[in-house]
Amino acid sequence: MNIIFKAVRKLYYLTIGKSPELDRFFRYRGNPQDYWVKRGGETYFEEQEAVPDRTLRSQFIAEEMKQISFSSLLEIGCGYSKQLKSMHSPGVSFFGCDFSRPQLIKGKEFFPAMIGRVAEADAEFLPFKDKSFEVVMSSAVILHNKHPKAKKIVAEMIRVSKKYL
C-alpha cells in the first residue's frame, strides 16, 4: 500500500501539481484552509504579481472605495494585503484577517504598515466585537465557500460592520 501511495503522490506532483489551476481544483475541494496554508505566501504572491490584471482590479476596487467616507475598514481574506495596500490612506484605520499564516507572513514583507493590524482567523468566526468597523469588505472569498459557510461568513461580516458591507 505504501508503494502505491508513493506512486500516486509522485504522479500527482508530476502532473496536477505543476498546474496551479488543477491543483487548486482538486485540493481546494477538501479543505480550503489547508489549500491556502500550502499554496499561500511566496508562490501565490509571485503568481498574482505577475498578472497585470490583478493590480488593475485592486486599483479599481480602491478607487471605488474612495467614493465613500469611512474611518475604519476590515478586509476579510486579506491574503498578503495587496488590496489593503491599494486602499491605504491617511486617517483611516485598516485591518485585515485571513486564515492562511503564510499569506499573512508574506503580507508583513509586502506591506509593513499592516504589521499588528492583521488577525489570523477564519471568517466564519471573526475575533472582533460587534460593530467594530465602519466598512467590512471581501473580494473573492465568499464565492469560494459552500453555501452554509458562506452564509456564516456574511453574517459575521454584518455583525462586525457599523455602516457599510
Side-chain angles (χ1 to χ4, degrees), residues 46-64:
E46 289 173 6
E47 289 171 12
Q48 294 298 298
E49 292 302 306
V51 179
D53 286 354
R54 298 294 184 181
T55 298
L56 291 173
R57 178 178 168 269
S58 180
Q59 291 168 345
F60 171 79
I61 292 170
E63 288 302 314
E64 291 299 308

Side-chain angles (χ1 to χ4, degrees), residues 49-97:
E49 292 302 306
V51 179
D53 286 354
R54 298 294 184 181
T55 298
L56 291 173
R57 178 178 168 269
S58 180
Q59 291 168 345
F60 171 79
I61 292 170
E63 288 302 314
E64 291 299 308
M65 293 298 290
K66 287 179 183 174
Q67 297 187 35
I68 61 174
S69 177
F70 57 91
S71 63
S72 62
L73 177 140
L74 170 66
E75 181 184 11
I76 306 298
C78 65
Y80 63 90
S81 297
K82 180 178 186 77
Q83 190 60 56
L84 291 167
K85 187 173 184 177
S86 292
M87 292 187 300
H88 193 261
S89 60
V92 178
S93 297
F94 287 90
F95 297 87
C97 77

Side-chain angles (χ1 to χ4, degrees), residues 33-48:
Q33 184 174 9
D34 184 50
Y35 168 82
W36 282 109
V37 166
K38 289 178 181 171
R39 182 170 178 241
E42 192 64 37
T43 301
Y44 182 73
F45 175 81
E46 289 173 6
E47 289 171 12
Q48 294 298 298

